[in-house]
Amino acid sequence: MNYISIQNIDSLEKWVKSALKIKSNPLKNKKLGKNKTLGMLFFNPSLRTRLSTQKAAMNLGMNVMIMNFTNEGWTLEFEDGTIMNQGASEHIREAAEVVSQFCDIIAIRSFAGLIDKEKDNAEMVLSGFAKFATVPIVNMESAVGHPLQSLADAITMEEFKTPHRPKVVLSWAPHPRALPQAVANSFVEMMQKQEKMDFVITHPEGYELNPEITKDSKIEYDQNKAFENADFVYVKNWSNYNEYGSVTNMDPNWTVTAEKMALTNNGKFMHCLPVRRNVIVADEVIDSENSVVIQQANNRTYSAQLVLQKILKKM
């Protein structure tokens, strides 16, 4: 069993209930991972993903090995048939099989390069390990998705659920740097599994996500209109998908302020973190009682623990 995409979840409702059960007693299955090793490979920086996934593995009694390819190890080659007379020193074919001998599960974090759309969509790093590794693979954020985050988001919304059918908004916000679409993509895919919620995406015209992911999800270009009566407002920047990897809009009017949150139904503010204060969101919003960003971060442990537990039980 791999956990590469939110699409690997057969029943989101059942998974969320299982995660909350784990949260109520995180050490219940402490012996499940005894003598098992989780290998965590980072091709990009991490704070919450690294610590929460490591904590989840420890809760299950697993050993953990961590390698940062940003400053450790050989540069890997991922394409077949390449004459390796340039920078890469080792091919994914050998690397994946070797790491598989040391680990029972391999977790990988590798962002989009935001230069070559086709290459990013092909998920060369993640798919390379999935193809050549001989043990299960877990996605700790890839070029296209962040399924551990979106599962944590679903857990958080369940904890703060409303007595009525909730309205959930995914809102773009400005950012000075080009950021991947991964978090937004997985949140959209997760929301498409929510049969008891209304969902709308809001962003400036031209900032549409991959239509193969958004499908028939409702899109509203007026942020204020989208926020009206919202119960949850999930905010995230992503760079332009059509003019791939570009920052073509930094309109500060899209920053989430208290005035905008006042349009909601006492809505909860959500963000995956890290967040640029007073660019993405005003201090008054993220520091308010309706901000659940810290709870989201905490739930990252239980989303990861659920995934690892499911994989271990299948071994």
Side-chain angles (χ1 to χ4, degrees):
M1 173 187 172
N2 293 331
Y3 186 67
I4 291 175
S5 163
I6 198 75
Q7 303 301 349
N8 294 134
I9 294 177
D10 51 3
S11 170
L12 181 61
E13 184 177 2
K14 289 180 180 179
W15 277 49
V16 168
K17 287 181 179 179
S18 295
L20 289 172
K21 191 174 181 180
I22 289 171
K23 186 174 182 177
S24 68
N25 188 3
L27 301 180
K28 180 180 179 180
N29 291 303
K30 181 76 173 180
K31 296 181 180 179
L32 183 62
K34 184 179 180 180
N35 298 325
K36 301 293 185 183
T37 299
L38 171 67
M40 300 172 65
L41 309 183
F42 291 91
F43 292 82
N44 293 97
S46 178
L47 190 157
R48 278 148 296 276
T49 300
R50 173 172 173 166
L51 296 181
S52 61
T53 306
Q54 187 172 357
K55 177 67 173 179
M58 292 165 61
N59 285 348
L60 292 167
M62 299 185 75
N63 300 312
V64 180
M65 297 195 300
I66 298 173
M67 188 165 190
N68 296 296
F69 279 84
T70 53
N71 56 13
E72 300 170 351
W74 303 112
T75 303
L76 299 184
E77 175 61 57
F78 294 91
E79 294 188 10
D80 287 331
T82 302
I83 298 174
M84 292 174 58
N85 60 358
Q86 299 297 320
S89 304
E90 183 164 9
H91 202 280
I92 181 64
R93 285 177 176 267
E94 291 79 52
E97 288 196 63
V98 168
V99 175
S100 298
Q101 295 178 112
F102 306 144
C103 306
D104 299 283
I105 302 172
I106 301 174
I108 300 163
R109 183 174 178 89
S110 179
F111 295 171
L114 295 177
I115 297 173
D116 187 325
K117 183 193 293 189
E118 185 175 327
K119 184 176 288 188
D120 285 344
N121 284 342
E123 294 277 28
M124 293 188 67
V125 177
L126 190 68
S127 62
F129 275 96
K131 181 177 181 180
F132 297 114
T134 57
V135 298
I137 300 297
V138 174
N139 181 355
M140 295 193 296
E141 186 172 355
S142 64
V144 173
H146 197 347
L148 286 177
Q149 178 65 56
S150 57
L151 178 54
D153 298 334
I155 296 166
T156 306
M157 288 193 293
E158 175 64 20
E159 288 183 309
F160 291 94
K161 66 181 179 182
T162 62
H164 57 271
R165 183 181 178 90
K167 177 182 178 181
V168 182
V169 177
L170 170 64
S171 177
W172 179 92
H175 196 285
R177 294 178 54 237
L179 298 185
Q181 292 88 32
V183 170
N185 287 342
S186 286
F187 188 79
V188 170
E189 291 179 320
M190 180 272 292
M191 286 305 304
Q192 289 169 347
K193 292 178 173 288
Q194 298 278 14
E195 298 179 355
K196 300 176 182 179
M197 296 184 181
D198 295 326
F199 179 52
V200 59
I201 306 169
T202 185
H203 55 71
E205 291 191 55
Y207 263 76
E208 289 78 10
L209 294 162
N210 184 347
E212 293 183 8
I213 291 176
T214 55
K215 297 178 181 176
D216 59 353
S217 294
K218 182 180 179 180
I219 297 175
E220 172 58 64
Y221 297 116
D222 184 331
Q223 188 187 41
N224 287 344
K225 185 175 180 181
F227 276 35
E228 290 177 0
N229 297 315
D231 297 287
F232 296 94
V233 175
Y234 197 105
V235 183
K236 184 72 179 78
N237 172 269
W238 57 87
S239 56
N240 197 306
Y241 183 75
N242 295 316
E243 297 180 47
Y244 193 65
S246 299
V247 177
T248 56
N249 191 323
M250 282 189 61
D251 185 354
N253 291 317
W254 280 80
T255 299
V256 177
T257 62
E259 182 180 13
K260 291 182 180 181
M261 291 300 293
L263 300 171
T264 71
N265 183 27
N266 198 32
K268 302 298 184 184
F269 173 81
M270 301 179 71
H271 191 282
C272 62
L273 302 180
V275 65
R276 294 201 179 213
R277 286 170 171 258
N278 303 307
V279 176
I280 296 284
V281 57
D283 287 340
E284 59 194 353
V285 174
I286 194 170
D287 292 333
S288 73
E289 292 183 356
N290 278 23
S291 173
V292 295
V293 298
I294 303 303
Q295 292 91 329
Q296 278 178 270
N298 185 41
N299 284 331
R300 291 294 309 281
T301 296
Y302 309 110
S303 66
Q305 190 166 335
L306 174 62
V307 169
L308 294 175
Q309 181 172 298
K310 284 181 172 290
I311 294 174
L312 289 170
K313 285 184 175 181
K314 287 183 176 293
M315 289 183 171

